[in-house]
Amino acid sequence: MDLAVIIQVLDSSIRLSTPLLLACLAGLFSERAGIFDIGLEGKMLISAFASAAFAFTTGNVWIGLLAGIGASLALSAIHGLASITFRGNQLISGVALNFLASGLTVLIAQNWFKQGGRTPTIPEEQRFQDITLPFADALRDVPVFGPIYSDLISGHSALAYIAFLMVPLTWWVLFRTRFGLRLRAVGEAPDAVDTAGVSVIGLRFAAVGICGVLCGIAGAYLATSLQAGFVKEMTAGRGYIALAALIFAKWRPWYALMACLLFGFLQAVALRFQNIRLGEFVIPVQLMEALPYILTVVILAGFVGKAIPPRAGGEPYVKER
């Protein structure tokens, strides 16, 4: 395997891990505040549809991005009302949102575009374009470093760079700011935060809102950068994989980056190497495609008990009188 093939696989890994990373960070904000969110899948799905539909209709991909974020925030508001205001079961609320998004996107797409529940193909000029970083072309012929910089680091869309910049930003917000300290405290001891005169409900709604924004960006990336439009169930379980990566990462941003890159790498390998021969045995392509989902089950089975979530996670807060 030469350097060019390795770079191609790693480049695909970055592209495939970008929506996982955004969804994983979204879940991190929400769950650090004590709100478990199984609805990441649904938020990404409805955002993918809204961003593709508005980008195609208006011809402006940035309007599509705003529409995707808005649609995701709408589901986040429903989840917040159900689980924070009305103190409902957070897991059931998230699952309900996934079913709602799954049916609603196909229904609206069919009535809007009449193409079997999908949007028309978005022209290339109406999608997020790959960005060539400075000196990428000039350094292309430099041994080793040139191809890594010009073909691996350079050449991704703006949303991909935003996703990776969100990792240090998330770490800084959660662990170096007063807002982050309070948000983490809400997920561990909301009664203590309330005693200090800080609104538990306000902080939890803020965390759910941040989760909605990040899921909106993730869905927009799927429909307007990674692909050229919306198709039914195009998230393909990425929301659930992001949740598994979050547990694997033990609710920490830098570990979340590594976990998502691992899942993206497995997906890239499955797409690149359809049939791998080990001696006389050929690994079926179906097994390669199932690798990310197999790893999800293994992580959930092996790490759920070892990764300790926020102590107040999943529990509605009732103010003492």
Side-chain angles (χ1 to χ4, degrees):
M1 184 181 297
D2 58 11
L3 179 62
V5 175
I6 294 175
I7 289 178
Q8 289 175 3
V9 173
L10 294 179
D11 180 74
S12 297
S13 302
I14 291 175
R15 295 177 187 273
L16 293 169
S17 64
T18 295
L20 295 178
L21 180 58
L22 287 165
C24 188
L25 294 177
L28 191 150
F29 272 102
S30 182
E31 297 195 8
R32 277 285 188 173
I35 304 297
F36 289 161
D37 196 349
I38 305 296
L40 299 178
E41 179 87 0
K43 293 174 186 176
M44 292 172 65
L45 188 62
I46 201 165
S47 169
F49 165 72
S51 59
F54 279 85
F56 176 81
T57 303
T58 64
N60 190 318
V61 70
W62 291 101
I63 293 178
L65 173 62
L66 292 176
I69 293 175
S72 179
L73 281 173
L75 290 194
S76 290
I78 296 174
H79 184 58
L81 285 172
S83 58
I84 300 173
T85 304
F86 298 111
R87 302 168 190 157
N89 187 292
Q90 297 173 10
L91 301 181
I92 293 176
S93 173
V95 171
L97 291 180
N98 289 338
F99 284 116
L100 176 64
S102 178
L104 198 61
T105 50
V106 175
L107 177 65
I108 297 177
Q110 174 61 23
N111 281 274
W112 191 343
F113 298 107
K114 312 294 184 183
Q115 294 192 11
R118 60 183 298 165
T119 63
T121 301
I122 304 175
E124 185 176 356
E125 63 274 9
Q126 296 177 15
R127 293 154 47 198
F128 282 102
Q129 304 296 310
D130 292 340
I131 298 174
T132 302
L133 296 181
F135 309 111
D137 294 329
L139 296 173
R140 189 178 300 274
D141 295 329
V142 176
V144 184
F145 175 76
I148 291 175
Y149 179 73
S150 60
D151 297 330
L152 181 59
I153 299 176
S154 178
H156 298 281
S157 72
L159 298 186
Y161 292 114
I162 289 173
F164 284 89
L165 289 175
M166 280 300 303
V167 177
L169 180 60
T170 298
W171 173 84
W172 181 77
V173 168
L174 287 178
F175 297 100
R176 290 295 185 271
T177 66
R178 179 178 298 179
F179 170 77
L181 175 62
R182 290 175 173 176
L183 188 142
R184 288 184 290 121
V186 163
E188 297 289 343
D191 50 345
V193 176
D194 193 21
T195 302
V198 180
S199 173
V200 174
I201 292 177
L203 280 171
R204 287 188 165 180
F205 265 109
V208 170
I210 294 172
C211 175
V213 171
L214 292 176
C215 283
I217 300 174
Y221 176 84
L222 282 174
T224 60
S225 181
L226 190 63
Q227 299 185 37
F230 172 83
V231 296
K232 179 182 178 182
E233 305 293 351
M234 70 179 303
T235 48
R238 285 181 173 90
Y240 302 111
I241 294 177
L243 286 173
L246 184 59
I247 295 171
F248 190 29
K250 298 183 179 180
W251 292 270
R252 293 184 176 274
W254 292 108
Y255 293 167
L257 171 62
M258 292 184 285
C260 291
L261 285 173
L262 174 61
F263 279 106
F265 175 74
L266 290 177
Q267 290 181 326
V269 170
L271 292 173
R272 175 75 184 184
F273 304 102
Q274 296 292 314
N275 292 292
I276 297 179
R277 180 178 294 276
L278 298 176
E280 297 297 325
F281 179 72
V282 177
I283 300 178
V285 62
Q286 292 83 0
L287 178 61
M288 296 299 298
E289 292 175 348
L291 273 179
Y293 305 97
I294 294 173
L295 182 61
T296 301
V297 175
V298 171
I299 287 175
L300 291 177
F303 286 86
V304 166
K306 298 178 182 178
I308 302 175
R311 284 183 295 176
E315 299 177 3
Y317 177 67
V318 180
K319 186 179 178 69
E320 295 183 0
R321 299 186 181 277

